[in-house]
Amino acid sequence: MSQRLSQSKLLAWYAESKRDLPWRNTNDAWKILLSEILLQQTQVSRGIAYWKKLVARFPTPQAMADAQVDEVLLLWQGAGYYSRARRLHSLSLMVCLPSNEGGYDGRLPQTAAELLKLPGVGPYTAAAVASIAYGEPVACVDGNIRRVMARQSKNPEPSMKEVDAWAQDILYGADAGNWNQALMELGATICTPRRAQCTQCPLASSCKGRETPTAYPLPKKVKRKRLDLQCTLRFDATGKPELVQRGSDGILAGMWGPPMAENLNTEGLELIGIIQHALSHRDLYVEVWLGSCSKGTDPSSVALSSLAQKILSLGE
Ligand code: SF4
């Protein structure tokens, strides 16, 4: 099968089978950027509700730039990887600067090279936004595309450079946005990690690895670190907990929750449980110590991490 035939089959399959996702019904680069940043580490099914909330409250970069970062964090609450929300807010501030001050006059830049200069935008996001919103012929590379490439080429451990070269080589430049989305959609729905549906795959006839798809690529070894923490969960007389905002660096930066650190003074407090919580590369084990305080904070008024929500539910 020629490469062109594979391209036309993949594009036809995508037109027919793509999931109806709300950000696929817009050409607005800002709204597409919001979806790409959310989907970096949030599942599509959960990402939809967050995307709708963000788009409704911040329909333009200016709307976000006019808001405090705490409001962005509050909307992001529960989506995890909160540094994304902080960087997004920084991005909106930079975009809304006048061009003579290094900004973009409130409009997202139109090329991947310019988008890459913005906070929190890496090569994947820059290529996705530039190709989908503006049609720039630039290939995206994400985990889905890496898997399709590894199987198509029967390469168990492709380097990012190899995947990048492959993606750029097969790119259908005349419709790069749909092409990139089609390849990612194939990886997300047909060429999935554990159960590749090769009989339904529009790229089956060019695939060298289809006899043993799960052999490609080999799983990446992720080293996980254990981190032991202590947390003091104190309530005031009205039942409101003591909540503090974490610093701008480190885990759960900028989010709110009960005080938590490797060592806290727990004298006179009661140990009520240990909560286990997984972050991307760390497993947290948090001792929760119960006590009282003079004045708490209404939890609904601040951005709580999901770990903080787990800790608070322990005290209910
Ligand atoms: S034929 Fe199978 S392994 Fe190859 S790309 Fe298609 S779904 Fe993946």
Side-chain angles (χ1 to χ4, degrees), residues 212-300:
T212 53
T214 51
Y216 310 96
L218 290 172
K220 280 188 181 169
K221 290 188 188 98
V222 180
K223 279 193 196 147
R224 300 189 64 79
K225 278 192 189 161
R226 176 181 172 129
L227 183 59
D228 291 286
L229 296 168
Q230 292 183 317
C231 164
T232 55
L233 180 56
R234 300 174 195 265
F235 291 94
D236 69 12
T238 67
K240 288 189 192 131
E242 178 193 19
L243 298 174
V244 293
Q245 187 170 26
R246 297 186 64 80
S248 54
D249 293 321
I251 57 170
L252 308 173
M255 297 301 285
W256 288 73
M260 191 170 64
E262 287 188 49
N263 284 298
L264 290 175
N265 182 1
T266 58
E267 212 177 304
L269 305 182
E270 178 197 356
L271 179 63
I272 56 168
I274 297 176
I275 286 186
Q276 195 178 342
H277 188 77
L279 297 177
S280 54
H281 294 100
R282 289 174 194 237
D283 290 314
L284 307 185
Y285 290 81
V286 187
E287 283 181 7
V288 181
W289 294 81
L290 187 65
S292 57
C293 64
S294 53
K295 189 163 179 2
T297 300
D298 178 0
S300 66

Coordinates of all heavy atoms in Angstrom, one line a residue, residues 212-300:
T212 N 2.0 -9.0 16.5 CA 2.1 -9.0 18.0 C 2.2 -7.5 18.4 O 3.2 -7.0 19.0 CB 3.5 -9.6 18.4 OG1 4.5 -9.0 17.6 CG2 3.5 -11.1 18.2
P213 N 1.0 -6.8 18.3 CA 1.0 -5.4 18.6 C 1.5 -5.0 20.0 O 2.2 -4.0 20.2 CB -0.4 -4.9 18.3 CG -1.2 -6.2 18.2 CD -0.3 -7.3 17.8
T214 N 1.1 -5.8 21.0 CA 1.4 -5.4 22.4 C 2.9 -5.5 22.7 O 3.4 -5.1 23.7 CB 0.6 -6.2 23.4 OG1 0.8 -7.6 23.1 CG2 -0.9 -5.8 23.4
A215 N 3.7 -6.1 21.7 CA 5.2 -6.1 21.9 C 5.8 -4.8 21.6 O 7.0 -4.6 21.9 CB 5.8 -7.2 21.1
Y216 N 5.0 -3.9 21.1 CA 5.5 -2.6 20.7 C 4.7 -1.4 21.2 O 3.4 -1.5 21.1 CB 5.6 -2.5 19.1 CG 6.3 -3.6 18.5 CD1 5.5 -4.7 18.0 CD2 7.7 -3.7 18.4 CE1 6.1 -5.8 17.5 CE2 8.3 -4.8 17.9 CZ 7.5 -5.9 17.4 OH 8.1 -7.0 16.9
P217 N 5.2 -0.4 21.8 CA 6.6 -0.3 22.2 C 6.7 -1.0 23.6 O 5.7 -1.2 24.3 CB 6.8 1.2 22.3 CG 5.4 1.7 22.7 CD 4.4 0.8 22.0
L218 N 7.9 -1.2 24.0 CA 8.2 -1.8 25.4 C 7.7 -0.7 26.4 O 7.9 0.5 26.1 CB 9.7 -2.1 25.6 CG 10.2 -3.2 24.7 CD1 11.7 -3.3 24.9 CD2 9.6 -4.5 25.2
P219 N 7.2 -1.2 27.5 CA 6.8 -0.2 28.5 C 7.9 0.6 29.0 O 9.0 0.0 29.2 CB 6.1 -1.0 29.6 CG 6.5 -2.4 29.3 CD 6.9 -2.6 27.9
K220 N 7.7 1.9 29.3 CA 8.8 2.7 29.9 C 8.9 2.4 31.4 O 7.8 2.3 32.0 CB 8.4 4.2 29.7 CG 8.7 4.7 28.3 CD 8.5 6.2 28.3 CE 8.8 6.8 26.9 NZ 8.4 8.1 26.7
K221 N 10.1 2.4 31.9 CA 10.2 2.2 33.3 C 10.1 3.5 34.0 O 10.9 4.4 33.8 CB 11.6 1.5 33.6 CG 11.6 0.1 33.1 CD 12.9 -0.6 33.6 CE 13.0 -2.0 33.0 NZ 13.9 -2.0 31.8
V222 N 9.1 3.6 34.9 CA 9.0 4.9 35.6 C 9.4 4.6 37.1 O 8.9 3.7 37.7 CB 7.5 5.4 35.6 CG1 7.4 6.7 36.4 CG2 7.0 5.5 34.2
K223 N 10.4 5.4 37.5 CA 10.9 5.2 38.9 C 10.0 6.0 39.8 O 9.8 7.2 39.6 CB 12.3 5.7 39.0 CG 13.4 4.7 38.6 CD 14.7 5.2 39.1 CE 15.8 4.4 38.3 NZ 17.0 5.2 38.0
R224 N 9.3 5.3 40.8 CA 8.5 6.0 41.7 C 9.2 6.2 43.0 O 9.8 5.3 43.5 CB 7.2 5.2 41.8 CG 6.4 5.1 40.6 CD 5.0 4.5 40.8 NE 4.2 5.4 41.6 CZ 3.5 6.4 41.1 NH1 3.6 6.7 39.8 NH2 2.8 7.2 41.9
K225 N 9.0 7.4 43.6 CA 9.6 7.6 44.9 C 8.5 7.6 46.0 O 7.4 8.1 45.7 CB 10.3 9.0 44.9 CG 11.7 9.0 44.3 CD 12.3 10.3 44.6 CE 13.6 10.4 43.8 NZ 14.0 11.8 43.7
R226 N 8.9 7.2 47.2 CA 7.9 7.2 48.3 C 8.2 8.5 49.1 O 9.4 8.8 49.3 CB 8.1 6.0 49.1 CG 7.2 6.0 50.4 CD 7.4 4.8 51.3 NE 6.7 5.0 52.5 CZ 5.8 4.2 53.0 NH1 5.6 3.1 52.4 NH2 5.2 4.5 54.2
L227 N 7.2 9.2 49.5 CA 7.4 10.4 50.3 C 6.4 10.3 51.5 O 5.2 10.2 51.3 CB 7.0 11.6 49.4 CG 7.2 13.0 50.1 CD1 8.7 13.2 50.6 CD2 6.9 14.1 49.1
D228 N 7.0 10.3 52.7 CA 6.2 10.3 53.9 C 5.9 11.7 54.4 O 6.9 12.4 54.6 CB 6.9 9.4 54.9 CG 6.9 7.9 54.5 OD1 5.8 7.3 54.6 OD2 7.9 7.5 54.1
L229 N 4.7 12.0 54.7 CA 4.3 13.3 55.1 C 3.4 13.3 56.4 O 2.8 12.2 56.6 CB 3.6 14.1 54.0 CG 4.4 14.4 52.7 CD1 3.4 14.8 51.7 CD2 5.5 15.4 53.0
Q230 N 3.3 14.4 57.1 CA 2.4 14.5 58.2 C 1.5 15.7 57.9 O 1.9 16.7 57.2 CB 3.1 14.8 59.5 CG 4.0 13.6 59.9 CD 4.6 13.9 61.3 OE1 5.2 15.0 61.5 NE2 4.6 12.9 62.2
C231 N 0.2 15.5 58.4 CA -0.8 16.6 58.1 C -1.5 16.8 59.4 O -1.9 15.9 60.1 CB -1.7 16.1 57.0 SG -3.2 17.0 56.9
T232 N -1.8 18.1 59.7 CA -2.6 18.4 60.9 C -4.0 18.8 60.4 O -4.1 19.8 59.6 CB -2.0 19.5 61.8 OG1 -1.7 20.6 61.0 CG2 -0.7 19.0 62.4
L233 N -5.0 18.1 60.9 CA -6.3 18.4 60.4 C -7.1 19.0 61.6 O -7.5 18.2 62.5 CB -7.0 17.1 59.9 CG -8.4 17.2 59.5 CD1 -8.6 18.2 58.4 CD2 -8.9 15.8 59.0
R234 N -7.2 20.3 61.7 CA -7.8 21.0 62.9 C -9.1 21.6 62.4 O -9.1 22.3 61.4 CB -6.8 22.0 63.4 CG -5.5 21.5 63.9 CD -4.6 22.7 64.2 NE -3.2 22.4 64.4 CZ -2.6 22.0 65.5 NH1 -3.3 22.0 66.6 NH2 -1.3 21.7 65.5
F235 N -10.1 21.5 63.2 CA -11.4 22.1 63.0 C -11.7 23.2 64.0 O -11.3 23.0 65.2 CB -12.5 21.1 63.0 CG -12.4 20.1 61.8 CD1 -11.7 18.9 61.9 CD2 -13.0 20.4 60.6 CE1 -11.6 18.0 60.9 CE2 -12.9 19.5 59.5 CZ -12.2 18.3 59.6
D236 N -12.4 24.2 63.6 CA -12.9 25.2 64.6 C -14.2 24.8 65.1 O -14.8 23.8 64.8 CB -12.9 26.6 64.0 CG -13.9 26.9 62.9 OD1 -14.8 26.0 62.8 OD2 -13.9 27.9 62.2
A237 N -14.8 25.6 66.0 CA -16.0 25.3 66.7 C -17.2 25.1 65.7 O -18.2 24.4 66.0 CB -16.3 26.3 67.8
T238 N -17.1 25.8 64.6 CA -18.2 25.7 63.6 C -18.0 24.5 62.6 O -18.8 24.4 61.7 CB -18.4 27.0 62.8 OG1 -17.2 27.2 62.0 CG2 -18.5 28.2 63.7
G239 N -16.9 23.8 62.8 CA -16.6 22.7 61.9 C -15.8 23.0 60.6 O -15.6 22.2 59.8
K240 N -15.3 24.2 60.6 CA -14.5 24.6 59.4 C -13.0 24.2 59.7 O -12.5 24.5 60.8 CB -14.5 26.1 59.2 CG -15.9 26.6 58.6 CD -15.7 28.0 58.1 CE -17.1 28.6 57.8 NZ -17.4 29.8 58.5
P241 N -12.3 23.6 58.7 CA -11.0 23.2 58.9 C -10.0 24.3 58.7 O -10.2 25.3 58.0 CB -10.8 22.2 57.8 CG -11.7 22.7 56.7 CD -12.9 23.3 57.3
E242 N -8.8 24.1 59.4 CA -7.7 25.1 59.1 C -7.1 24.7 57.8 O -6.7 23.6 57.5 CB -6.6 24.9 60.2 CG -5.4 25.8 60.0 CD -4.2 25.4 60.9 OE1 -4.2 24.2 61.4 OE2 -3.3 26.2 61.1
L243 N -7.1 25.7 56.9 CA -6.5 25.5 55.5 C -5.5 26.5 55.2 O -5.6 27.7 55.6 CB -7.7 25.6 54.5 CG -8.8 24.6 54.6 CD1 -9.9 25.0 53.6 CD2 -8.3 23.2 54.4
V244 N -4.4 26.1 54.5 CA -3.3 27.0 54.2 C -3.1 26.8 52.7 O -3.3 25.7 52.1 CB -2.1 26.7 55.0 CG1 -2.3 27.1 56.5 CG2 -1.6 25.3 54.8
Q245 N -2.5 27.8 52.1 CA -2.1 27.7 50.7 C -0.7 27.3 50.6 O 0.2 27.8 51.2 CB -2.3 29.1 49.9 CG -2.1 28.9 48.4 CD -2.6 30.2 47.7 OE1 -2.5 31.3 48.2 NE2 -2.9 30.0 46.4
R246 N -0.4 26.3 49.7 CA 0.9 25.8 49.5 C 1.7 26.8 48.7 O 1.2 27.7 48.0 CB 1.0 24.5 48.9 CG 0.3 23.4 49.7 CD 0.4 22.0 49.2 NE 1.8 21.5 49.1 CZ 2.4 21.0 50.1 NH1 1.8 20.9 51.3 NH2 3.7 20.6 50.0
G247 N 3.1 26.8 48.9 CA 3.9 27.7 48.2 C 3.9 27.5 46.7 O 3.2 26.6 46.2
S248 N 4.6 28.4 46.0 CA 4.5 28.4 44.5 C 5.4 27.3 43.9 O 5.4 27.1 42.7 CB 4.7 29.7 43.9 OG 6.0 30.2 44.4
D249 N 6.2 26.6 44.7 CA 7.1 25.5 44.2 C 6.7 24.2 44.8 O 6.0 24.2 45.8 CB 8.5 25.8 44.5 CG 9.1 27.0 43.8 OD1 8.7 27.2 42.6 OD2 9.8 27.8 44.4
G250 N 7.2 23.1 44.2 CA 7.0 21.8 44.8 C 5.6 21.2 44.5 O 4.9 21.7 43.7
I251 N 5.3 20.1 45.2 CA 4.1 19.4 44.9 C 2.9 20.2 45.3 O 2.9 20.9 46.3 CB 4.1 18.0 45.6 CG1 4.2 18.1 47.1 CG2 5.1 17.1 45.0 CD1 3.9 16.9 47.9
L252 N 1.8 20.1 44.5 CA 0.5 20.7 44.7 C 0.7 22.3 44.9 O 0.0 22.9 45.7 CB -0.2 20.1 45.9 CG -0.3 18.6 45.9 CD1 -0.9 18.1 47.2 CD2 -1.2 18.2 44.7
A253 N 1.6 22.8 44.2 CA 2.0 24.3 44.3 C 0.7 25.1 44.2 O -0.1 25.0 43.2 CB 3.0 24.7 43.3
G254 N 0.5 26.1 45.1 CA -0.6 27.0 45.0 C -1.9 26.5 45.4 O -2.9 27.3 45.6
M255 N -2.0 25.2 45.7 CA -3.3 24.6 46.1 C -3.5 24.8 47.6 O -2.5 25.0 48.3 CB -3.4 23.2 45.7 CG -3.4 22.9 44.2 SD -4.7 23.8 43.3 CE -6.1 22.8 43.7
W256 N -4.7 24.7 48.0 CA -5.1 24.8 49.5 C -5.3 23.4 50.1 O -5.7 22.5 49.4 CB -6.3 25.6 49.6 CG -6.1 27.1 49.3 CD1 -5.9 27.7 48.1 CD2 -6.0 28.2 50.3 NE1 -5.8 29.0 48.2 CE2 -5.8 29.4 49.6 CE3 -6.1 28.2 51.7 CZ2 -5.7 30.6 50.2 CZ3 -6.0 29.5 52.3 CH2 -5.8 30.6 51.5
G257 N -5.1 23.4 51.4 CA -5.3 22.1 52.1 C -4.9 22.3 53.6 O -4.3 23.4 53.9
P258 N -5.1 21.3 54.4 CA -4.6 21.4 55.8 C -3.1 21.4 55.8 O -2.5 20.9 54.8 CB -5.1 20.0 56.4 CG -6.2 19.6 55.5 CD -5.9 20.1 54.1
P259 N -2.5 22.0 56.8 CA -1.0 22.1 56.8 C -0.4 20.7 56.6 O -0.8 19.7 57.2 CB -0.7 22.6 58.2 CG -1.9 23.4 58.6 CD -3.1 22.6 58.0
M260 N 0.7 20.6 55.8 CA 1.3 19.3 55.5 C 2.8 19.5 55.3 O 3.2 20.4 54.5 CB 0.6 18.7 54.2 CG 0.9 17.3 53.9 SD -0.2 16.7 52.6 CE 0.3 17.7 51.3
A261 N 3.6 18.6 55.9 CA 5.0 18.7 55.7 C 5.6 17.4 56.1 O 4.9 16.5 56.6 CB 5.6 19.9 56.5
E262 N 6.9 17.3 55.9 CA 7.6 16.0 56.3 C 7.6 15.8 57.8 O 7.4 14.7 58.3 CB 9.0 15.9 55.8 CG 9.0 15.7 54.3 CD 10.3 15.4 53.7 OE1 11.1 14.6 54.2 OE2 10.6 16.1 52.6
N263 N 7.7 16.9 58.5 CA 7.7 16.9 60.0 C 6.9 18.0 60.6 O 7.2 19.2 60.3 CB 9.1 16.9 60.6 CG 9.8 15.6 60.4 OD1 9.4 14.6 61.0 ND2 10.9 15.6 59.6
L264 N 5.8 17.7 61.3 CA 5.0 18.7 62.0 C 4.9 18.5 63.4 O 5.2 17.3 63.9 CB 3.6 18.7 61.4 CG 3.4 19.2 59.9 CD1 2.0 19.0 59.5 CD2 3.8 20.7 59.8
N265 N 4.6 19.5 64.2 CA 4.4 19.2 65.6 C 3.0 18.6 65.8 O 2.0 19.3 65.6 CB 4.5 20.6 66.4 CG 4.3 20.4 67.9 OD1 4.2 19.3 68.4 ND2 4.4 21.5 68.6
T266 N 3.0 17.3 66.3 CA 1.7 16.7 66.4 C 1.4 16.4 67.9 O 0.5 15.6 68.2 CB 1.7 15.3 65.6 OG1 2.8 14.5 66.2 CG2 1.9 15.5 64.2
E267 N 2.1 17.1 68.8 CA 1.9 16.9 70.2 C 0.4 17.2 70.6 O -0.1 18.3 70.2 CB 2.8 17.8 71.0 CG 3.2 17.2 72.3 CD 4.2 18.2 73.0 OE1 5.2 18.5 72.4 OE2 3.9 18.6 74.1
G268 N -0.2 16.3 71.3 CA -1.6 16.6 71.8 C -2.6 16.3 70.7 O -3.8 16.4 70.9
L269 N -2.2 15.8 69.5 CA -3.2 15.5 68.4 C -3.4 14.0 68.3 O -2.6 13.2 68.8 CB -2.7 16.1 67.1 CG -2.4 17.6 67.0 CD1 -1.9 18.0 65.6 CD2 -3.6 18.4 67.5
E270 N -4.5 13.6 67.7 CA -4.8 12.2 67.6 C -4.6 11.7 66.2 O -5.1 12.3 65.2 CB -6.3 12.0 68.0 CG -6.7 10.6 67.9 CD -8.3 10.5 67.9 OE1 -8.9 11.5 68.0 OE2 -8.8 9.4 67.7
L271 N -3.8 10.6 66.0 CA -3.6 10.1 64.7 C -4.8 9.3 64.2 O -5.3 8.4 64.9 CB -2.4 9.1 64.7 CG -2.1 8.4 63.4 CD1 -1.6 9.4 62.3 CD2 -1.0 7.3 63.6
I272 N -5.5 9.8 63.1 CA -6.7 9.2 62.7 C -6.6 8.4 61.4 O -7.6 7.8 61.0 CB -7.9 10.2 62.6 CG1 -7.5 11.3 61.6 CG2 -8.3 10.8 63.9 CD1 -8.7 12.2 61.2
G273 N -5.4 8.3 60.8 CA -5.3 7.5 59.6 C -4.1 7.9 58.8 O -3.5 8.9 59.0
I274 N -3.8 7.0 57.8 CA -2.7 7.3 56.9 C -3.3 7.2 55.5 O -4.0 6.2 55.1 CB -1.6 6.3 57.0 CG1 -0.9 6.4 58.4 CG2 -0.5 6.5 55.9 CD1 0.1 5.4 58.7
I275 N -3.2 8.3 54.7 CA -3.7 8.3 53.4 C -2.6 8.1 52.4 O -1.6 8.7 52.4 CB -4.4 9.7 53.1 CG1 -5.7 9.7 53.9 CG2 -4.7 9.9 51.7 CD1 -6.6 10.9 53.7
Q276 N -2.9 7.2 51.4 CA -2.0 7.0 50.3 C -2.5 7.7 49.1 O -3.7 7.6 48.8 CB -1.9 5.5 50.1 CG -0.8 5.1 49.2 CD -0.7 3.6 49.0 OE1 -1.4 2.8 49.7 NE2 0.0 3.1 48.0
H277 N -1.6 8.4 48.4 CA -2.0 9.2 47.3 C -0.9 9.2 46.2 O 0.2 9.4 46.5 CB -2.3 10.6 47.7 CG -2.9 11.5 46.7 ND1 -4.2 11.4 46.4 CD2 -2.4 12.4 45.9 CE1 -4.5 12.3 45.4 NE2 -3.4 12.9 45.1
A278 N -1.3 8.9 45.0 CA -0.3 8.7 43.9 C -0.2 10.0 43.1 O -1.2 10.5 42.7 CB -0.6 7.6 43.0
L279 N 1.0 10.6 43.0 CA 1.2 11.7 42.0 C 2.0 11.1 40.8 O 2.2 9.8 40.8 CB 2.1 12.8 42.7 CG 1.4 13.5 43.9 CD1 2.3 14.5 44.5 CD2 0.1 14.2 43.5
S280 N 2.4 11.9 39.9 CA 2.9 11.3 38.6 C 4.1 10.4 38.9 O 4.2 9.3 38.4 CB 3.3 12.4 37.7 OG 4.1 13.3 38.3
H281 N 5.1 10.8 39.7 CA 6.3 10.0 40.0 C 6.5 9.7 41.5 O 7.5 9.2 41.8 CB 7.5 10.7 39.4 CG 7.5 10.8 37.9 ND1 7.1 11.9 37.3 CD2 7.7 9.8 37.0 CE1 7.2 11.7 36.0 NE2 7.5 10.4 35.8
R282 N 5.5 10.0 42.2 CA 5.7 9.8 43.7 C 4.4 9.1 44.3 O 3.3 9.3 43.9 CB 5.8 11.1 44.4 CG 7.1 11.8 44.1 CD 7.0 13.2 44.8 NE 8.0 14.0 44.3 CZ 8.9 14.6 45.1 NH1 8.9 14.4 46.4 NH2 9.8 15.4 44.6
D283 N 4.7 8.3 45.3 CA 3.6 7.8 46.1 C 3.7 8.5 47.5 O 4.7 8.4 48.2 CB 3.8 6.3 46.3 CG 3.5 5.6 45.0 OD1 2.5 5.9 44.4 OD2 4.3 4.7 44.6
L284 N 2.6 9.2 47.8 CA 2.6 9.9 49.1 C 1.9 9.0 50.2 O 0.9 8.4 49.9 CB 1.9 11.2 49.0 CG 2.3 12.2 47.9 CD1 1.5 13.5 48.0 CD2 3.8 12.5 47.9
Y285 N 2.5 9.0 51.4 CA 1.9 8.4 52.5 C 1.7 9.5 53.6 O 2.7 10.0 54.1 CB 2.7 7.3 53.1 CG 2.7 6.1 52.1 CD1 3.6 6.1 51.0 CD2 1.9 5.0 52.3 CE1 3.6 5.0 50.1 CE2 1.9 3.9 51.4 CZ 2.7 4.0 50.3 OH 2.7 2.9 49.5
V286 N 0.5 9.9 53.8 CA 0.3 11.1 54.7 C -0.4 10.7 56.0 O -1.5 10.2 56.0 CB -0.7 12.1 54.0 CG1 -0.7 13.4 54.8 CG2 -0.1 12.4 52.6
E287 N 0.3 10.9 57.1 CA -0.3 10.6 58.4 C -1.2 11.8 58.7 O -0.8 13.0 58.5 CB 0.8 10.7 59.5 CG 1.6 9.4 59.6 CD 2.7 9.6 60.8 OE1 2.6 10.6 61.5 OE2 3.5 8.7 60.9
V288 N -2.4 11.5 59.1 CA -3.4 12.6 59.4 C -3.6 12.7 60.9 O -4.1 11.7 61.5 CB -4.7 12.4 58.7 CG1 -5.7 13.6 58.9 CG2 -4.5 12.3 57.2
W289 N -3.3 13.9 61.5 CA -3.5 14.1 63.0 C -4.6 15.1 63.2 O -4.6 16.2 62.7 CB -2.1 14.6 63.5 CG -1.0 13.6 63.4 CD1 -0.2 13.4 62.3 CD2 -0.5 12.8 64.5 NE1 0.7 12.4 62.6 CE2 0.5 12.0 63.9 CE3 -0.9 12.6 65.8 CZ2 1.2 11.1 64.7 CZ3 -0.2 11.7 66.6 CH2 0.8 10.9 66.0
L290 N -5.5 14.7 64.1 CA -6.7 15.5 64.3 C -6.6 16.4 65.5 O -6.0 16.0 66.5 CB -7.9 14.5 64.5 CG -9.3 15.2 64.6 CD1 -9.7 15.8 63.3 CD2 -10.3 14.1 65.0
G291 N -7.1 17.6 65.4 CA -7.0 18.5 66.5 C -8.0 19.7 66.3 O -8.9 19.6 65.4
S292 N -7.9 20.7 67.1 CA -8.8 21.9 67.0 C -8.1 23.2 66.7 O -6.9 23.2 67.0 CB -9.7 22.0 68.2 OG -8.9 22.1 69.3
C293 N -8.8 24.2 66.2 CA -8.1 25.5 65.9 C -9.2 26.5 66.3 O -10.4 26.2 66.4 CB -7.7 25.6 64.5 SG -9.0 25.5 63.3
S294 N -8.7 27.8 66.3 CA -9.6 28.9 66.7 C -10.5 29.3 65.5 O -11.7 29.6 65.7 CB -8.9 30.1 67.3 OG -7.9 30.4 66.4
K295 N -9.9 29.3 64.3 CA -10.7 29.8 63.2 C -10.3 29.0 61.9 O -9.1 29.0 61.5 CB -10.4 31.3 63.0 CG -11.4 31.9 61.9 CD -11.4 33.4 62.1 CE -12.3 34.1 61.1 NZ -13.1 33.4 60.2
G296 N -11.3 28.4 61.3 CA -11.0 27.7 60.0 C -11.5 28.5 58.8 O -11.8 29.7 58.9
T297 N -11.4 27.8 57.7 CA -11.7 28.4 56.4 C -12.8 27.6 55.7 O -12.8 26.4 55.7 CB -10.5 28.5 55.5 OG1 -9.5 29.2 56.1 CG2 -10.7 29.1 54.1
D298 N -13.7 28.3 55.0 CA -14.7 27.5 54.2 C -14.1 26.8 53.1 O -13.5 27.4 52.2 CB -15.8 28.5 53.7 CG -16.9 27.9 52.9 OD1 -16.8 26.6 52.7 OD2 -17.8 28.6 52.4
P299 N -14.1 25.5 53.0 CA -13.4 24.7 52.0 C -13.9 25.1 50.6 O -13.2 25.0 49.6 CB -13.7 23.3 52.3 CG -14.1 23.2 53.7 CD -14.7 24.6 54.0
S300 N -15.2 25.5 50.4 CA -15.7 25.8 49.1 C -15.2 27.1 48.5 O -15.4 27.4 47.4 CB -17.2 25.7 49.1 OG -17.7 26.8 49.9

